[in-house]
Amino acid sequence: MNPVSALDFSAALFAIPETLRQPLLDTFSTIVRNYRESRWEPSELNGGKFCEVVYSILRGHIDGRFPASPSKPRNMVAACMALENDGASLPRAVRIQIPRMIIALYEIRNNRGVGHVGGDVDPNNMDARVVLEMAKWILADLVRIFHPNNVSTEHASAIVDSLVERTVPAVWKVGDIRRVLDPSLKAREQVLLLLYSVNGPAKVSDLFSWVEHSNFSVFKKKVVGQLHKERLVNFNVDTGLVALSPTGTHEVESKLPLTVPA
């Protein structure tokens, strides 16, 4: 399957007006960014905004007339439940499954210690993770429903996953170039951080350029090759692609600096 991007996302949901499609992408991207930066409460609060955009899309689809912009219903639970009867001729995903997921996601926003003082549970990684995964599920189902080519659930999920690029403050992106902001890190550490910051594999030639190593042959053998031997990455010598392994991900998250050095 070819790599997908935000352009694929827009094409997949072209049937949804830009005034709703862009807020959908923006709120989802903010959830992802806040989660990656361990900003649990903003991540969950934006889950509520995401729900409001999704509800507006479903309401417009059922009514046969999309609203000009997202809006918040007076009672989200009642509004979502009303979709079950109002859209009787539409698929269950539109009438029941996504609306019920919205209700659950909105419940986290309202009653899990976010959005107001006095909640019974403090915002934390567990709740934020639930928000992220539920948002991904909803978004993938919207892609599956609205994609003009009736794509599979697998392809819809791939389109959504392409949007989930890790936000790593320690890595600076300038156009197509990435730089690790701490020059004291070794080349192998920089490679791991760079791979962690991208969505999917990277070309070994790009990594060589980003690290600014002096010798390409040495870089492939001594840096990338050694990481491959340690099972921190997979280096496909035929394609020249380097992918971070689960072990490599753990190495980055437990041992390397993800924030900008002071």
Side-chain angles (χ1 to χ4, degrees), residues 32-260:
V32 173
R33 183 172 64 253
N34 288 337
Y35 180 82
R36 296 301 186 194
E37 295 175 0
S38 301
R39 300 171 61 213
W40 311 133
E41 189 165 357
S43 175
E44 293 174 344
L45 284 172
N46 234 73
K49 295 177 182 178
F50 176 80
C51 287
E52 291 159 13
V53 179
V54 175
Y55 168 79
S56 298
I57 291 171
L58 295 181
R59 182 76 264 176
H61 184 52
I62 288 175
D63 292 344
R65 183 180 65 259
F66 287 108
S69 61
S71 62
K72 176 182 177 182
R74 178 171 296 181
N75 185 318
M76 180 64 81
V77 174
C80 287
M81 292 178 66
L83 297 177
E84 295 191 18
N85 297 321
D86 296 345
S89 63
L90 294 174
R92 288 180 63 86
V94 175
R95 297 182 293 109
I96 298 172
Q97 293 163 354
I98 297 178
R100 290 184 182 179
M101 190 69 77
I102 291 174
I103 292 173
L105 186 50
Y106 215 70
E107 172 68 14
I108 295 176
R109 181 256 183 263
N110 284 338
N111 295 309
R112 291 286 290 187
V114 297
H116 58 270
V117 176
D120 61 344
V121 179
D122 290 334
N124 53 47
N125 176 274
M126 180 181 67
D127 286 356
R129 181 70 183 183
V130 169
V131 169
L132 175 62
E133 294 302 329
M134 291 174 75
K136 286 173 63 178
W137 185 93
I138 290 172
L139 198 56
D141 229 31
L142 289 176
V143 169
R144 186 180 60 81
I145 292 165
F146 288 100
H147 197 291
N149 297 325
N150 297 318
V151 298
S152 65
T153 299
E154 179 184 8
H155 186 67
S157 296
I159 291 175
V160 173
D161 285 340
S162 74
L163 301 173
V164 185
E165 183 176 73
R166 291 184 175 94
T167 298
V168 184
V171 176
W172 179 36
K173 184 178 180 182
V174 187
D176 294 331
I177 299 173
R178 293 172 187 263
R179 292 279 187 263
V180 175
L181 293 176
D182 186 351
S184 68
L185 293 178
K186 297 178 180 178
R188 59 175 280 124
E189 295 171 326
Q190 292 192 43
V191 167
L192 290 174
L193 269 174
L194 289 165
L195 287 173
Y196 185 81
S197 74
V198 301
N199 180 50
K203 295 179 180 178
V204 66
S205 57
D206 286 340
L207 293 169
F208 171 73
S209 174
W210 296 343
V211 172
E212 296 184 304
H213 198 280
S214 59
N215 188 301
F216 188 49
S217 296
V218 172
F219 177 76
K220 285 199 298 182
K221 182 177 180 180
K222 298 294 186 180
V223 180
V224 178
Q226 184 59 38
L227 290 171
H228 178 87
K229 288 181 180 179
E230 296 175 23
R231 299 296 186 266
L232 296 174
V233 306
N234 181 72
F235 178 31
N236 187 321
V237 294
D238 294 327
T239 63
L241 294 177
V242 186
L244 190 66
S245 73
T247 306
T249 298
H250 177 72
E251 180 87 2
V252 173
E253 293 178 341
S254 63
K255 298 180 180 181
L256 297 183
L258 298 179
T259 57
V260 180

